Amino acid sequence: MCGIAGAYQQHDGKLLVSAMVDRLTHRGPDAGAVVELVDPDTAVVLGHRRLSIIDLSSAADQPFTKGGLTLTYNGELYNFRELRRELVALGARFSTASDTEVVLEAWRAWGPRALRRFRGMYAFGIHDEATGSLTLARDPLGIKPLYVMPRGSGILFASELKAIVTAVGPELAVDPAAMVASTLYYWLPQELDAMHGVARHPAGTWAEYHRDGSVARGCFWDSATEAALAAQGPRADIRQVVADSVLDHLVADAPVASFLSGGLDSSIVTALAHRADPSIEAYTIVFRPEDQRLESMPDDARYARRLAAHLGIRLHEIEISPDIVDLLPRMVDILDEPIGDPAAINTLLMCDAARDAGVKVLLSGMGADELFGGYRKHLAMLVAARYRRLPRALRAAVAPAARALPVAVGGRGLRTVRWGQRFLTFAELPEQEAFRRSYTLYDRDELVGLLDPSLSAHVDGVLDRHREVYEDNDLDDVVSRMCLADTRMFMPGLNLTYTDRASMAASTEVRVPFVDPAVMQAAFSLPGAEKIRGRQQKAALKDAARAWLPDEIIDRPKASFGAPLRAWVTNDLRELVDDVLLRGELVGGGFLRAEALQRLVEDQRSGRRDQSKQVWQLLSLELWYRNARVAGVGTR
């Protein structure tokens, strides 16, 4: 796992790439280099920071040059040994034991057709000396990041947005549509970019840049197409597919450990990893008792302890009691984009602890909720359909009464009230709109009322984009449609993004066995009724897991990978909210309406409504915007 950067057809490319590589040191502290490749018609500079996981020798350092090809590559190829055997049979010769060299030789042998054969997570740039071209590619499901900035007749690219901002910040401008989207979602969908002039390279695609300024593009994986094909095909053996994926994800020449929250997904991954490697260790988080009380959080750690004892593995417990006033600005810088999800803090602190213990690689259960129908919103959408069948008079009486209840009394959070009030915000809406409202922070009118009136067109544009993505499918049931939307939006936009940034900030690699093309195809081979059976969520995955886990882990109540957000916002961050958010640049510049923001904060503090996620997101957005302005980024 690494950080990559490059410049194509840039007169100042070496200077810019050097600056970007320096900004990416956290992604690869083991080695770093910048290579300049210049001929009369082409200027190419490739940079790399290495975190050594496979073939720890310096022979595998990058940029890697061989036979007229030069590669800078971020990721892991789990099937590289099988591909290597094929390539040797075709006549390729290898000088390292790395997956990097396999990527290069596979590209030489098969070109873009190699991408469909790779099983792993990756983003890379490869220069062909013979043609002068530079090709960029990114893995099918968007696990690894890649940002591209068209500049003159060429491009800049890097693993993180802030690397490009560091190099050419004054050439960029904040995109107000992205800020609106962040305010709505608390993260950025893949269809939007934080800065004018810099775009994410789309997952599952490649682009070949030529020295005459032309670009050829191709798509080797489209999630909507793959989901539809899987739904029309035979039912997959979930147990075998998941077991195979976890085994594949253990390939490494460095120590591997596991995240273990005590929930179903991380428990499956940990149990399967333990079957292959009985020495594997696990990391979990615990919270301060007072924070658990106010947030009304379940004690997940006891389930993690029970599974660890059942498997006989060593469990490291990390208490989440950070100095959040100091940590929040650091997290905003780490997350790179305007993301307002405190779960990233859990990932960072666990990765910090693992790295201190000498562990470079951790396995995560991320992705199972998206693919197998595990989020509360998935079940809530089905409950909403039944709720709409109740007599209108009964619904008209229930809603005002529920909204009048406080969400906290006497310093203790009322979880059921919070969930009930949330449910009522979308229970009466049509499918697409209800799904969007089930996990976003505002309805249209609330968002328009919070923002400057001139931004209403951006609000409508963001809502239209959600509709377009959600309705772009050929699936027959609502559960499958929700899972596909989450796989295309929520998973890459939030979960994979914060996991990559937080783990790499600690110079560790997090692998996600559920976020795998074979697992995705298997998941969509099941109808929605096998994912949510009555009130049981992830039913098919639970059926498979009974071969590996005790019933008490499988049948335990659902718990999210969260943080004591209400406690932090209400107590620890009170002064920061007053000084930085309420008197901040977003209010001063007109993006936020001061009176509407004040009401939102007062509702949170009084316990009338749970606005903790909204306050956290807006405070994060304020800090992100300030960072961008300090870096010279302009506004439009």
Side-chain angles (χ1 to χ4, degrees), residues 116-389:
R116 187 81 187 188
R117 308 185 66 173
F118 290 167
R119 187 168 191 180
M121 52 182 180
Y122 54 84
F124 65 79
I126 190 163
H127 170 61
D128 187 334
E129 181 183 350
T131 64
S133 64
L134 173 74
T135 302
L136 303 181
R138 189 176 175 209
D139 64 61
L141 295 170
I143 304 173
K144 289 292 100 187
L146 184 60
Y147 294 85
V148 183
M149 176 186 176
R151 189 173 185 257
S153 59
I155 61 166
L156 301 177
F157 69 89
S159 292
E160 295 184 13
L161 175 62
K162 59 178 166 277
I164 296 178
V165 170
T166 296
V168 293
E171 299 179 27
L172 305 175
V174 173
D175 188 342
M179 295 178 65
V180 169
S182 172
T183 307
L184 175 68
Y185 290 105
Y186 63 95
W187 44 274
L188 275 187
Q190 297 292 285
E191 296 75 29
L192 287 166
D193 298 294
M195 304 283 180
H196 282 293
V198 181
R200 298 179 184 90
H201 181 93
T205 71
W206 56 270
E208 185 177 80
Y209 297 87
H210 305 132
R211 49 193 170 200
D212 64 2
S214 63
V215 186
R217 302 182 188 275
C219 176
F220 66 93
W221 178 277
D222 175 72
S223 291
T225 301
E226 298 295 335
L229 290 172
Q232 295 160 12
R235 186 189 189 283
D237 183 342
I238 298 299
R239 183 174 296 161
Q240 190 62 54
V241 171
V242 171
D244 288 347
S245 184
V246 173
L247 183 62
D248 288 342
H249 281 70
L250 289 171
V251 173
D253 295 323
V256 178
S258 178
F259 286 152
L260 180 58
S261 69
L264 175 68
D265 312 330
S266 66
S267 296
I268 287 173
V269 170
T270 302
L272 289 172
H274 175 261
R275 289 174 63 183
D277 178 8
S279 68
I280 197 166
E281 299 182 358
Y283 289 78
T284 195
I285 53 174
V286 295
F287 297 98
R288 295 178 300 189
E290 61 270 28
D291 291 343
Q292 279 187 287
R293 248 191 330 273
L294 184 54
E295 194 67 27
S296 191
M297 299 174 72
D299 182 12
D300 288 340
R302 65 191 176 103
Y303 291 100
R305 295 183 195 111
R306 287 177 184 175
L307 184 65
H310 173 78
L311 296 174
I313 65 174
R314 184 181 179 189
L315 180 66
H316 304 263
E317 296 188 19
I318 313 302
E319 184 177 84
I320 301 294
S321 55
D323 183 343
I324 197 63
V325 175
D326 291 335
L327 186 55
L328 176 58
R330 181 189 171 202
M331 282 307 312
V332 169
D333 178 67
I334 286 170
L335 290 173
D336 203 24
E337 295 177 357
I339 295 173
D341 189 342
I345 291 173
N346 302 353
T347 300
L348 174 68
L349 296 181
M350 283 196 291
C351 288
D352 274 339
R355 183 67 200 218
D356 288 345
V359 174
K360 286 185 175 182
V361 183
L362 292 130
L363 304 177
S364 166
M366 179 176 294
D369 284 323
E370 288 89 341
L371 293 173
F372 292 96
Y375 287 121
R376 291 191 188 96
K377 63 185 176 184
H378 297 150
L379 179 59
M381 284 282 290
L382 302 184
V383 173
R386 296 195 288 271
Y387 174 80
R388 288 193 293 273
R389 293 196 289 269

